[in-house]
Amino acid sequence: HIITTPDCSRRPRQFVATVLPKMGIRMSVIDPADTAALEAAIASHNGADLYFSESPTNPLIRLVDVPAVVAICRKHSVLTCIDTTFTTPINYTPVTRGVDLVLHSGTKYLAGHNDVLCGALAGRADLIAKIRALQGVLGGVVDPHAAYLLLRGLKTLHLRVAQHNANATALAKFLSTHPKIAKVHHPSLHSHPDRAVALAEYAPGDAFGGVLSFELLGDGDAWSTETFEAAGRFVDGLTLAYIGPSLGGVESIVEQVCIMGYFDQPLSIRKGLGISNGLVRLSCGVEDTDDLVKDVARALENV
């Protein structure tokens, strides 16, 4: 029995929802902030084996109250795994809060240059030993050159992350008051639903990584064709950001989420996940902050 959250990268959720049930593994989905639902999910299935969530989540940038989750899971002997790809170990270290396993897409910030495919898992030595043994059977071992590029990226991680943080925070502040933006998803804002967790768990200075998402107002209907087209005009109007599905590199990368990640999903599914027609995810690179904000402002003039 695995407990997870609804807002997460699509393919891991798809794996848990469609592949693991064939192996007899059940899934419960709860809101990232709902600790009562976590207790209920454990009780209703007579326990659980694993709690897994991203924090921040993708693409709505929700935060998990990690100490609260760890306390509940330990009480019921449930393993915890948190994916902190979006924040990196520079901004947040779940292992110091008692999490059993921490997952990173090394493709993103750790390598940092959009030229590597790799992942990293850290945590309890006894669990890592079991996973490492299984990895030898299943494969998926990083090649030497990718490992070299990852080590190269780690040398500048702290420098890059500082600029990623600054750019995302500045852009979130700018967008939060713009008349053509309906909503901004970033923990630096007081309007964020998990702002209390952000203040309690993260270092001062709004250090949440470089990813934010926001919703174009369009014609006021989040699900209309006009709002869909308005988001497209905005994305096409950017000059600094590349269009693509990745994140965490030195270059800014933008995507209209309903096209890039959910193009094959019906509207009913997207509505349940909060993936509106105007939702845009922007991974801020290490460009000059003023240049990035001005570029976004110019693109909004096309909307």
Side-chain angles (χ1 to χ4, degrees), residues 6 41 44 57 73 81 84 103 155 192 240 244 254 258 277 287 298:
S44 64
T57 62
C73 288
C81 180
T84 53
L103 184 66
K155 294 176 182 178
H192 192 275
L240 288 180
V254 66
C258 68
N277 286 357
E287 300 91 350
R298 283 193 297 267

Side-chain angles (χ1 to χ4, degrees), residues 248-295:
V250 291
E251 302 92 355
S252 290
I253 299 179
V254 66
E255 67 169 59
Q256 186 174 356
V257 180
C258 68
I259 294 177
M260 196 68 72
Y262 294 83
F263 65 92
D264 59 345
Q265 296 298 293
L267 185 61
S268 59
I269 296 295
R270 288 199 291 110
K271 282 187 174 182
L273 296 171
I275 309 298
S276 69
N277 286 357
L279 181 64
V280 173
R281 190 189 74 184
L282 179 57
S283 169
C284 298
V286 298
E287 300 91 350
D288 178 81
T289 302
D290 288 342
D291 287 348
L292 189 58
V293 172
K294 289 177 182 177
D295 188 43

Side-chain angles (χ1 to χ4, degrees), residues 33 62-67 92 186-203 206 208:
R62 296 291 305 276
L63 298 180
V64 172
D65 187 343
V66 171
Y92 194 65
H186 194 259
S188 65
L189 301 175
H190 293 290
S191 59
H192 192 275
D194 307 312
R195 180 61 177 168
V197 175
L199 292 173
E201 282 295 297
Y202 289 78
D206 294 321
F208 306 107

Side-chain angles (χ1 to χ4, degrees), residues 57-132:
T57 62
N58 179 31
L60 299 179
I61 325 297
R62 296 291 305 276
L63 298 180
V64 172
D65 187 343
V66 171
V69 167
V70 167
I72 294 170
C73 288
R74 281 188 173 178
K75 182 172 64 174
H76 297 284
S77 300
V78 178
L79 293 176
T80 50
C81 180
I82 300 293
D83 183 331
T84 53
T85 294
F86 275 29
T87 55
T88 82
I90 301 298
N91 289 331
Y92 194 65
T93 52
V95 289
T96 63
R97 276 79 171 176
V99 169
D100 297 304
L101 294 167
V102 178
L103 184 66
H104 288 278
S105 173
T107 302
K108 311 303 193 298
Y109 290 106
L110 300 188
H113 293 77
N114 297 314
D115 54 8
V116 176
L117 288 174
C118 63
L121 188 69
R124 278 175 39 190
D126 60 321
L127 297 175
I128 295 296
K130 293 179 181 178
I131 295 167
R132 187 175 180 84

Side-chain angles (χ1 to χ4, degrees), residues 164-174 186 188-189 205-209:
H164 290 304
N165 290 341
N167 281 346
T169 299
L171 197 53
K173 182 178 180 180
F174 167 75
H186 194 259
S188 65
L189 301 175
D206 294 321
F208 306 107

Side-chain angles (χ1 to χ4, degrees), residues 179-224:
K180 293 183 179 180
I181 300 297
K183 191 173 185 179
V184 181
H185 305 277
H186 194 259
S188 65
L189 301 175
H190 293 290
S191 59
H192 192 275
D194 307 312
R195 180 61 177 168
V197 175
L199 292 173
E201 282 295 297
Y202 289 78
D206 294 321
F208 306 107
V211 182
L212 73 157
S213 62
F214 47 94
E215 299 177 44
L216 275 291
L217 181 63
D219 63 357
D221 179 356
W223 312 102
S224 71

